[in-house]
Amino acid sequence: MLSVIFGDCEDVVYNTSLYFKNTYNPDWLLEDNTRQMIFDIDKSVVISGGAIQSPVLGVIPPTSLSGGVKTLILIDHISERIFNASNCGDNCAPWLLRIASRKDVTVNLRHIMDFGRGEFEIRIQNNGNIVHTMEEMLPEIGDYV
C-alpha cells in the first residue's frame, strides 16, 4: 500500500538527486521494472548499468536522469527511507501506485499529486485515513499541504 505523509516530515530525503548519485546501484537499471520506468517517464532506453540513451541528450549517465525517475528508482529499491516524492511530476503517480502494489511504500508529498480519475488505495499518514479517489483525498489533505 502507498502511504503518504503530506507537508513537513522528519527524516525525509529531500535531495533525491544527490542521494541517488551517492547510492544507486548500476544493477538496478538492468531490472525490467526500472527499464520500463525510465522509458515511461524519461522516454529513454537503458543501454547498460552506466549508460542511458536519451532522445534529447544522447547517451547520458544514470545521474542525468530526471529527478522524478531517480526518485522512483530510490523508492523502489530503498524501502527503509522516506523520499520526497514532490520531486516527481504527476506522470510518476501511476508508478508510485504500481510500486506500492508490490510492497508497502511511504513517501512525503509537499504538493497535491494527481493520481488520476481511477480508484486507488492510499493511506494518509497524517490522519491514518485511507482514500480511494482524488475526490476522497482532497478534503483529507487540505490542512497539510
Side-chain angles (χ1 to χ4, degrees):
M1 174 185 285
L2 178 60
S3 296
V4 180
I5 303 165
F6 285 94
D8 290 333
C9 177
E10 294 182 22
D11 298 325
V12 171
V13 176
Y14 286 105
N15 191 340
T16 53
S17 288
L18 181 62
Y19 194 91
F20 182 86
K21 178 181 178 181
N22 292 308
T23 61
Y24 89 92
N25 181 333
D27 291 340
W28 294 349
L29 302 177
L30 303 177
E31 297 172 5
D32 289 339
N33 269 347
T34 306
R35 285 176 182 268
Q36 189 62 50
M37 191 184 303
I38 292 168
F39 184 77
D40 286 350
I41 303 300
D42 284 1
K43 308 302 182 227
S44 298
V45 177
V46 175
I47 299 169
S48 70
I52 289 108
Q53 179 67 48
S54 164
V56 175
L57 303 172
V59 178
I60 60 171
T63 53
S64 292
L65 289 164
S66 69
V69 80
K70 287 188 279 193
T71 302
L72 288 172
I73 292 168
L74 290 169
I75 290 167
D76 196 21
H77 288 91
I78 303 177
S79 300
E80 63 274 7
R81 297 301 306 260
I82 298 173
F83 294 97
N84 175 18
S86 285
N87 288 320
C88 299
D90 289 342
N91 62 335
C92 295
W95 275 100
L96 281 173
L97 295 171
R98 190 176 304 172
I99 293 166
S101 72
R102 292 186 277 113
K103 63 182 180 175
D104 290 337
V105 172
T106 301
V107 299
N108 177 236
L109 279 173
R110 301 177 67 83
H111 77 287
I112 300 170
M113 181 175 276
D114 185 358
F115 286 94
R117 295 181 181 200
E119 290 204 6
F120 49 76
E121 188 169 78
I122 294 175
R123 177 184 311 279
I124 310 298
Q125 283 294 106
N126 305 70
N127 61 20
N129 293 339
I130 296 175
V131 296
H132 301 93
T133 64
M134 287 300 295
E135 290 76 21
E136 285 181 16
M137 185 170 76
L138 292 175
E140 294 285 336
I141 63 173
D143 291 339
Y144 310 117
V145 224

